[in-house]
């Protein structure tokens, strides 16, 4: 531990944000980070605990707490404080191939589990990580480092999301010949075409992809396996095939008038904005626009929040966000003690922007849509929303949310964005390889393994565990790489 009294002497300090009214003028990242000197003092707050919950990555009460990558957090906190930045970078990279992504988009289960947060504020682990990786890029530690020796083994990875990229990085560094097949025109999966630019600027992804290309990873874009390329061809041409195609089947809304025009899935809306931003700087007509519209976002989670922030940047007339569940508590409840993931109310960037622009939080709790009202041309022009309440089913005894009679209300709506979660694997990809799906439509693999019943075929990431987090996808990519390497060589050092 660099400074035993650091956690007493220094208060937690984090980046400041550009004000909501200013940041909505563009799609740029909006955090103004601390200076290196100040961030080093934040490293000194780490107590290097005997039991470091921050790096545990365990499940408590069904939620992850601590880092799922088991990042060596106390070690690099200390190295950051001492100014040994190259060693800090090397320790960080030992477990995490993509700190430039996680230090921007991870919800930080590490900080939620940090002992300093038990009766004060946690160590600023995420921003310490950000400082280490960006410093490493600035001074040249993060540079092209191809493997010194190549094996003769060929591995195909389908899907260039964080899981596929993590597997590609690890297997390529090991010397295998890796080709990543991606149906989109750019790499990154939901990092590129889900998470908006203001959370993760896309040149950050390109910076890493360019390094991976120079290190020898081969990327093939526009390759939609199961549509324009057969799964069997890959299995014939490569020693191993890893599928990391995500869980991109969106959950739909079952309401009267669902076939009206102007109703889109959240990811289609978000993707159209990012693609247009990158291709032509948001030229009119090249993306699904919320400009001048009354926007209804269905789903109160993080994806819904991204839709709120994006709609406001487009210039929406109003934004309403519906959430079926009750409003969470503002403080931890006794039933949700540290170091569990805190199930508390979070007012994220989009909601903050709504408060600044429209004067109120866009979220309405315990409410859903009953009907979409169509205009003359079949376009959505209003929505009837209804309140919900918990009720016990007299027969089964199970609790469920039911409509409150007479609570219907009709609001004007020109654009609906469905952010109600994801159901799992798209069937055409599973069919292309003859894979079996479980009831949650995730691909079935052997117990404690990423291997499927089909020889040499592996599955990882959201396609394996269901819609999750970037950090979990990276963990799965790292672990599948290990299993594949072991099967190819007979031992592994991944
Ligand atoms: C809008 C949104 C915002 C999110 N924000 C966050 C966040 O802030 N923080 C966080 O931790 N997590 C976030 N998540 C979740 C996170 O992005 C995912 O859990 C993660 O990206 C999953 O990684 P993956 O590699 O398994 O799959 P994906 O990222 O979904 O990547 C799968 C890739 O496979 C490709 N593919 C699919 N089928 C084929 C095929 N047949 N042939 C070729 N290519 C194919 C897809 O085009 C895609 O590029 C968000 C999710 C969404 C939808
Ligand atoms: S739990 Fe917090 S204080 Fe303890 S080692 Fe981890 S980061 Fe440091």
């Amino acid at each position: 531990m660099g400074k035993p009294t650091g956690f007493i002497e220094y208060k937690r300090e984090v980046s400041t944000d550009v004000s909501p009214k200013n940041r909505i003028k563009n799609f740029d990242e909006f955090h103004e980070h601390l200076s290196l000197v100040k961030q080093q003092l934040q490293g000194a707050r780490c107590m290097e605990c005997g039991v470091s919950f921050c790096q545990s990555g365990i499940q408590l009460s069904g939620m992850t707490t601590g880092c799922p990558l088991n990042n060596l957090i106390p070690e690099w906190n200390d190295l950051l404080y001492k100014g040994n930045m190259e060693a800090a970078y090397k320790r960080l990279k030992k477990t995490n191939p993509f700190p430039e992504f996680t230090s921007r988009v991870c919800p930080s289960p590490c900080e939620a589990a940090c002992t300093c947060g038990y009766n004060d504020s946690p160590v600023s682990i995420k921003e310490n990580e950000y400082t280490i990786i960006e410093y490493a890029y600035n001074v040249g530690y993060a540079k092209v480092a191809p493997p010194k020796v190549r094996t003769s083994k060929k591995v195909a990875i389908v899907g260039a999301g964080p899981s596929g990229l993590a597997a590609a990085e690890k297997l390529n560094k090991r010397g295998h010949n890796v080709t990543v097949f991606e149906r989109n025109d750019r790499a990154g999966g939901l990092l590129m075409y889900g998470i908006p630019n203001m959370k993760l600027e896309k040149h950050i992804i390109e910076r890493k992809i360019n390094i991976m290309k120079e290190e020898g990873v081969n990327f093939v874009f526009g390759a939609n396996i199961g549509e324009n390329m057969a799964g069997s061809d890959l299995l014939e041409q490569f020693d191993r095939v890893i599928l990391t195609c995500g869980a991109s089947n969106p959950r739909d809304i079952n309401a009267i008038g669902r076939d009206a025009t102007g109703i889109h899935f959240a990811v289609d809306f978000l993707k159209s904005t990012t693609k247009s931003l990158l291709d032509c700087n948001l030229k009119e007509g090249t993306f699904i626009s919320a400009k001048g519209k009354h926007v209804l976002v269905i789903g109160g989670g993080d994806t819904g929040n991204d839709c709120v922030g994006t709609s406001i940047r487009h210039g929406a007339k109003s934004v309403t966000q519906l959430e079926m569940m009750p409003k969470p508590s503002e403080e931890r409840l006794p039933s949700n003690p540290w170091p569990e993931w805190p199930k508390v109310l979070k007012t994220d960037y989009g909601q903050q922007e709504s408060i600044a622009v429209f004067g109120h939080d866009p979220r309405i709790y315990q409410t859903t849509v009953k009907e979409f009202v169509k205009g003359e041309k079949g376009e959505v022009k209003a929505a009837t929303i209804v309140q919900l309440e918990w009720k016990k089913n007299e027969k089964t005894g199970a609790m469920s949310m039911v409509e409150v009679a007479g609570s219907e209300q009709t609001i004007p709506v020109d654009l609906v964005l469905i952010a109600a979660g994801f159901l799992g694997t798209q069937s055409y990809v599973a069919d292309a390889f003859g894979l079996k799906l479980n009831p949650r439509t995730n691909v079935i693999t052997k117990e404690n393994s990423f291997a499927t019943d089909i020889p040499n075929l592996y599955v990882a990431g959201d396609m394996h565990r269901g819609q999750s987090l970037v950090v979990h996808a990276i963990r799965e990519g790292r672990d599948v790489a290990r299993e594949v390497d072991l099967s190819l060589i007979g031992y592994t050092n991944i």
Side-chain angles (χ1 to χ4, degrees), residues 45-49 52-54 73-74 77 113-116 123 125:
R45 292 190 70 235
C46 178
M47 303 183 291
E48 219 174 328
C49 304
S52 315
F53 287 101
C54 59
I73 294 165
N77 276 338
C114 171
T115 319
C116 270
V123 172
I125 301 169

Side-chain angles (χ1 to χ4, degrees), residues 9-237:
E9 283 179 51
Y10 308 118
K11 283 278 149 213
R12 175 179 162 105
E13 207 183 333
V14 289
S15 56
T16 46
D17 292 347
V18 177
S19 75
K21 282 199 172 161
N22 276 329
R23 69 192 189 220
I24 60 167
K25 292 177 185 158
N26 57 51
F27 286 80
D28 299 344
E29 285 182 14
F30 51 80
H31 306 294
E32 288 167 349
H33 287 271
L34 300 185
S35 67
L36 177 60
V37 173
K38 280 192 165 186
Q39 200 72 53
Q40 283 182 265
L41 296 184
Q42 293 301 305
R45 292 190 70 235
C46 178
M47 303 183 291
E48 219 174 328
C49 304
V51 178
S52 315
F53 287 101
C54 59
Q55 59 181 131
S56 60
I58 49 170
Q59 295 281 313
L60 284 180
S61 303
M63 310 278 284
T64 300
T65 187
C67 178
L69 287 166
N70 306 129
N71 279 345
L72 304 167
I73 294 165
E75 295 181 36
W76 42 260
N77 276 338
D78 181 43
L79 291 162
L80 168 69
Y81 169 60
K82 289 180 177 147
N84 194 344
M85 297 301 281
E86 188 167 9
Y89 166 69
K90 285 187 177 154
R91 295 312 278 166
L92 177 56
K93 286 290 285 183
K94 237 182 153 29
T95 51
N96 186 356
F98 306 125
E100 57 274 73
F101 306 155
T102 48
S103 67
R104 287 175 165 83
V105 305
C106 189
S108 318
C110 54
E111 291 191 15
C114 171
T115 319
C116 270
Y118 181 58
N119 56 13
D120 193 351
S121 44
V123 172
S124 55
I125 301 169
K126 182 169 165 178
E127 298 198 3
N128 292 353
E129 180 184 29
Y130 176 93
T131 298
I132 296 167
I133 184 63
E134 289 307 318
Y135 184 93
Y137 271 107
N138 287 340
V139 302
Y141 304 148
K143 57 174 190 272
V144 177
K148 292 199 174 77
V149 182
R150 283 272 168 207
T151 70
S152 58
K153 307 293 182 192
K154 293 197 293 175
V155 181
I157 296 175
V158 183
S163 193
L165 292 177
E169 149 111 356
K170 290 282 169 196
L171 289 165
N172 180 62
K173 290 261 173 191
R174 187 79 169 107
H176 304 307
N177 302 286
V178 178
T179 302
V180 181
F181 294 91
E182 169 56 55
R183 65 184 174 189
N184 278 326
D185 56 348
R186 293 179 170 94
L190 288 171
L191 289 170
M192 176 62 74
Y193 285 139
I195 297 173
N197 201 64
M198 50 273 190
K199 277 187 86 177
L200 171 61
E201 290 184 0
K202 304 312 166 192
H203 64 89
I204 300 294
I205 305 174
E206 297 295 350
R207 179 176 68 178
K208 181 65 193 175
I209 297 299
N210 288 337
I211 289 181
M212 290 175 70
K213 282 181 184 167
E214 282 194 59
E215 287 175 343
V217 179
N218 180 28
F219 285 89
V220 182
F221 294 107
N224 194 347
I225 309 303
E227 282 243 346
N228 57 18
M229 275 185 87
S232 53
D233 287 351
L234 291 189
L235 285 166
E236 260 169 42
Q237 289 163 24

Side-chain angles (χ1 to χ4, degrees), residues 191-484:
L191 289 170
M192 176 62 74
Y193 285 139
I195 297 173
N197 201 64
M198 50 273 190
K199 277 187 86 177
L200 171 61
E201 290 184 0
K202 304 312 166 192
H203 64 89
I204 300 294
I205 305 174
E206 297 295 350
R207 179 176 68 178
K208 181 65 193 175
I209 297 299
N210 288 337
I211 289 181
M212 290 175 70
K213 282 181 184 167
E214 282 194 59
E215 287 175 343
V217 179
N218 180 28
F219 285 89
V220 182
F221 294 107
N224 194 347
I225 309 303
E227 282 243 346
N228 57 18
M229 275 185 87
S232 53
D233 287 351
L234 291 189
L235 285 166
E236 260 169 42
Q237 289 163 24
F238 291 84
D239 297 297
R240 298 288 182 274
V241 176
I242 305 174
L243 304 179
T244 50
C245 299
S248 42
N249 248 350
R251 181 177 286 122
D252 209 343
I253 293 292
N254 185 12
I256 303 162
R258 167 65 185 88
D259 59 340
T261 56
I263 303 180
H264 304 271
F265 288 115
V267 170
D268 296 338
F269 169 72
L270 295 169
K271 178 179 177 183
S272 81
T273 293
T274 302
K275 183 154 168 49
S276 171
L277 184 71
L278 298 177
D279 288 353
C280 57
N281 202 17
L282 292 172
K283 199 173 129 212
E284 290 263 340
T286 59
F287 60 99
I288 303 166
S289 177
K291 190 173 178 183
K293 293 182 180 163
H294 293 294
V295 180
L296 178 65
V297 179
I298 302 173
D302 294 346
T303 302
N305 172 67
D306 289 335
C307 291
V308 172
T310 301
S311 298
I312 290 175
R313 279 166 181 72
H314 286 184
K317 205 185 277 175
S318 72
V319 185
T320 305
Q321 187 181 11
L322 301 186
E323 168 56 51
M324 283 180 75
M325 300 307 284
K327 186 175 179 181
S329 145
E330 302 207 358
E331 304 265 316
R332 267 186 194 274
L333 296 174
S335 57
N336 174 217
W338 173 89
E340 285 183 8
W341 175 256
K343 292 178 216 152
V344 293
L345 180 72
K346 179 170 97 175
T347 301
D348 213 335
Y349 73 96
Q351 286 127 9
Q352 292 165 11
E353 290 159 4
S354 172
I355 292 167
V357 174
F358 303 118
H360 59 85
D361 193 312
R363 289 170 288 188
I364 306 178
Y365 294 92
Q366 289 187 241
T367 303
T368 191
V369 173
K370 203 167 174 173
E371 179 175 357
F372 297 109
V373 183
K374 290 189 217 172
E376 279 173 12
K377 292 182 187 146
E379 80 284 7
V380 64
K381 66 168 197 176
T384 303
I385 59 176
V386 63
Q387 283 174 21
L388 301 169
E389 64 181 351
W390 283 112
K391 228 178 189 159
K392 198 175 189 175
N393 183 310
E394 296 302 335
K395 282 188 198 143
T396 62
M399 297 291 285
S400 64
M401 295 295 269
V402 295
E403 291 181 8
V404 178
S407 66
E408 289 86 355
Q409 182 192 347
T410 300
I411 56 169
V413 167
D414 312 299
L415 176 67
V416 177
L417 303 172
I418 301 174
F422 294 85
L423 291 173
T425 304
Q426 288 179 296
S427 56
Y428 82 93
V429 195
D431 292 347
F433 293 90
L435 288 167
K436 291 194 203 99
L437 305 180
N438 66 18
R440 298 172 69 197
T441 63
N442 302 324
V443 175
I444 297 174
T445 54
K446 293 178 184 164
E447 209 178 334
N448 297 323
S449 166
F450 296 91
T452 67
D453 285 342
I454 293 154
N456 304 330
L457 183 64
Y458 297 75
V459 175
D462 278 6
M463 192 177 185
H464 181 230
R465 62 177 291 147
Q467 172 74 202
S468 184
L469 292 175
V470 168
V471 69
H472 281 136
I474 296 174
R475 174 67 199 243
E476 293 241 328
R478 196 179 84 186
D479 289 354
V480 74
R482 191 180 152 77
E483 190 174 335
V484 166

